[in-house]
Amino acid sequence: MKKSHTLALYADMDEAANALKELKSSGMSGFRMEDVVVKSPIDHPELSELLGPRPVYIQWFTLLGVLLGPTTGLVLIASAQASFIYQVRGGRPVVPLPPDMVLTYELFILSGVLMTVLATFVAMKLPGNRSPLYNASVSEDKIGILVKADPQSIPQINEILGRHKPLEIMGDQAR
Amino acid sequence: MSLSNLIQNWNSFRTRRPYEGQYDDAPYKWAMVIDLDACIGCNACTVACYAENNLPVVGKERFGKGQAMHWIRIERYWGEGDAMTSEFPDHGAQYLPMLCQQCEAAPCEPVCPVGATHHSPDGLNTQVYNRCVGSRYCSANCPYKVRYFNWWNYPDRAWPNPLELQLNPDVTVRSKGVMEKCTFCMQRLRAGMDKAKTEGRILADGEVLTACAQACPTSAITFGNLADKKSKVARMWKNQQVDLAKDSQEKSEEGIRGYRILEELNTYPSIVYLERVRNLEA
Amino acid sequence: MSHSVHSHPQLDVQVERKFIPKQKDLGADVTWAKINKDVLRSLEKPRPVFWVIFFSALALFSFGVYCEVYQYQNGMGVADLNNPQVWGLYIATFIFWIGMGHSGTLLSALLHIIHADWRKPIYRYSEAMTTFTLLTAALFVLVHMGRLWQFYYVVAYPNERWTWPNFTSPLVWDATAIGTYLTSSLLFLYMGMIPDLAICRDNARGARRALYRFLSMGWQGTDRQWANFKVAYMTMACFLMPLAVSVHSIVSTDFAVSQNPGWHVTSFPPYFVLGALYSGCSGIITLFIVLRYVFRFEAYMTQPILNKLIKMTFAIAMVWTYLDLIEYATTWYGSDEVAKADLIYRATGDYALQFWGMIFCAMVMPFTLLIRFVRHNYVVLLIISLILNVGMWLERFQIITPTFAKSHYPWTWTAGWWPSWVQWGIVAGSFGWFTMLFMLYCKIFPSVSMYEVKEMVHEQNMEEKALAAQTDVHEAGLVPEMKGGQA
């Protein structure tokens, strides 16, 4: 069944929190708490707590990066030194480990950073995560609550959201 | 394939040089002895080098700016104290021909970002002009300052027509922006070694000389193959009790004159200088 | 002692009740909407003073380009470099610019990790400064090369001849470190800017809107985005701080790895890192004052924040001074006669003026920061922050030039070498290039982090609320009975 969306804007964080609490305890059918999205100009850990656990997996990508980057880097550097026409430089070993460590370290950082960035974009579904409902004021000073639900539940949700002094309720079935 | 190469030859890749007996099995290790007592400061070696290696004459102004290109230079030093008499100051003068020392552990080599300078199997410190990007780090790190940079496009002015006809066809004419230095007349060595190889032998002592050694009127410069124990150079090194792989030489008695310049910097040069003997009473 | 505290619970409460009012970093009138308005205004039509700065920078840069073209065509000889003096101003200024970048990372990464919130209004432009100083430094690597057209030999790329760069060379470490640092700090800057770019997108029109829409990549400030963002940003910060330390350590190995007197010093890496942070911090002070004036950021770049920045600069200056002095001490009391002679030559020889200039500008001048008048008078402070950076530039100059003038081999000792106008022109051009890029950045991207200042305001409000609640409770006489002290 196709889902509908509704977005309520709040000026006050406490009111938004109350609205979330009521949504959570309403226990109505046709809608799940996972489908509730809070849009805010800054991070609100207090509101996120009400939404339930939303785990972040970025650190595992980072771990992968910091493990793979330096090992492949060191092997590449050492084998490049070895496959270069046999050149002794300044009496040093052809594959000198301390200097190679310097580059390995840089590659450790670089691959860690790149994997983190990659993971972030994957996790945030960027670029191009165009949510159906958006209002520019959530990037200024308002807090938006976006709910995705079955169309028949929307009026009830709108009613709950409307009880907490929203500035506006937007969506297909808004007043 | 490169990884298996890495694993198979790991031990050789991890060897530090120089080590005792490094050239025992090698056919060649080029080395030199310069007797300062014999050097009269005539600059014939420098002239020969200019002719042999296509060195540009830079002119007075650029020379004054320190942009000269002499691969071998005659340095003049004055004695100090009693050695320097006011009546005959020339009495205290002494000369030192300075050229690339072809260090076994050359400070210039590990710092080059592109690997344009490295060690050849016959113990030469080579410079690959095509690879050089001109970062000048080798020169900065050379304690002897015997590396010369092409600050200008010298060929533009150095050999006005018809002088370009006297250029040595065996030697590259370097363009602006690359580093260059004494090669121990690599082109002569290369031709000689190739010829000997074709004939199935190794070069005899004295068969190939550097231009400077050839031109020196007092035979102050001795050039040869250190790997060949019977060569003149090898015997001189032995008599002077200089060991290629040591950074300080122990002499069994006073009066042995052989030394290597700035040996304490662990450069292991391939040129032994014989100290000048001076009669301080005369 | 603890026994007595337990027996007098009231005493504890007495201490707790005592509240020392702290000067707030931001004024009480700053609201979220005002932040948007003020910062977005900085992206609008520039004031005349902006154009004055921009075009003088452009003129300087053009002159630098002219000098570089001249050098490219005629050879490095036009720079009056010569056999012992192979590096000259190019490498000195290279280190200077690399160094300038480090403080941006200090502010954006380290202070983020330790939750020093005062960084929030000023870290964005510092991070941008990092990026642009790195771009400027990278120019000097190229300018300095004898064969600029072959620069790609330094890059490790697979080719049919199996030739690689020399991985043991500190210059290759440099190239790798700068590449890593530039990539990472650019990504860090960009990632930290995404929420702000979304704000710009929501308020812009026309071509700009398209640009911001593209760059903000659909950021909507959802809770999932924020949660991921926070983790990613912190992770990046944790990578960036050690990276910044490694970068200038590696730059110092250009010298420490070589065996020239005055360079072959074990303490060079920390000394360079601190010198970098030092010049970077005074650079941030300079830009603080300039931006505050040009973009009217008085509400965000406030005196309490400036005070903290100055305190940090002073502390770093003192650590740098210490490291500089122990470098001299180890040389002086060490057994390396050549290095000692080099040290004496620096202080008394041809470049004594630069040496003592450095001592005065970079070691003595920071003490003026202790004077209240200096901290509050922005014109004086601007001049002093510039003097500190002149000192740090002289420091780089006197690391390089005297060592070449008097190194191991006496025959190459030269006196009175001086760079030619081409070198000076390119150095001046680099300042123009940096200023130009930075000013452009400030007109295209928000130079104050809007969402983080909002966080600051939010926290200040929460604190005040909590404080008000506490005072109410206390005034109602409830506190003494409730708490028995925390001993």
Side-chain angles (χ1 to χ4, degrees), chain B residues 43-59:
Chain B
N43 275 308
C45 49
T46 312
V47 174
C49 187
Y50 267 74
E52 171 71 20
N53 290 304
N54 297 341
L55 300 187
V57 178
V58 300

Side-chain angles (χ1 to χ4, degrees), chain B residues 1-2 65-67 70 73-77 96 98 107 109-115 129-137 139-145 147-149 151-153 175-178 261-262 265 267, chain C residues 72-78 80-87 90 144-151 153-154 162-166 168-172 253-255 257-260 263 404 407-412:
Chain B
M1 104 240 83
S2 53
K65 281 188 171 174
Q67 296 167 342
H70 40 218
R73 63 190 187 222
I74 298 295
E75 295 169 359
R76 190 173 57 180
Y77 292 102
L96 187 144
M98 176 44 82
E109 289 171 2
V111 297
C112 174
V114 291
Y129 306 128
N130 282 341
R131 183 69 179 163
C132 179
V133 292
S135 76
R136 309 190 287 288
Y137 200 168
S139 172
N141 209 20
C142 174
Y144 312 96
K145 303 291 177 212
R147 292 180 146 266
Y148 301 93
F149 188 71
W151 300 107
W152 309 87
N153 201 19
S175 63
K176 75 177 174 195
V178 299
I261 295 176
L262 293 180
L265 296 175
T267 51
Chain C
Y72 185 97
Q73 286 172 342
N74 292 285
M76 300 298 291
V78 296
D80 275 3
L81 293 167
N82 62 22
N83 183 9
Q85 294 285 354
V86 287
W87 281 354
Y90 297 147
H144 145 91
M145 254 182 207
R147 296 209 297 169
L148 172 56
W149 48 97
Q150 309 285 32
F151 74 94
Y153 284 178
V154 188
W162 284 100
T163 48
W164 298 93
N166 174 11
T168 57
S169 166
L171 290 186
V172 171
T253 60
D254 285 357
F255 306 98
V257 160
S258 93
Q259 49 187 342
N260 288 328
W263 289 5
F404 279 136
S407 94
H408 281 293
Y409 202 70
W411 196 82
T412 61

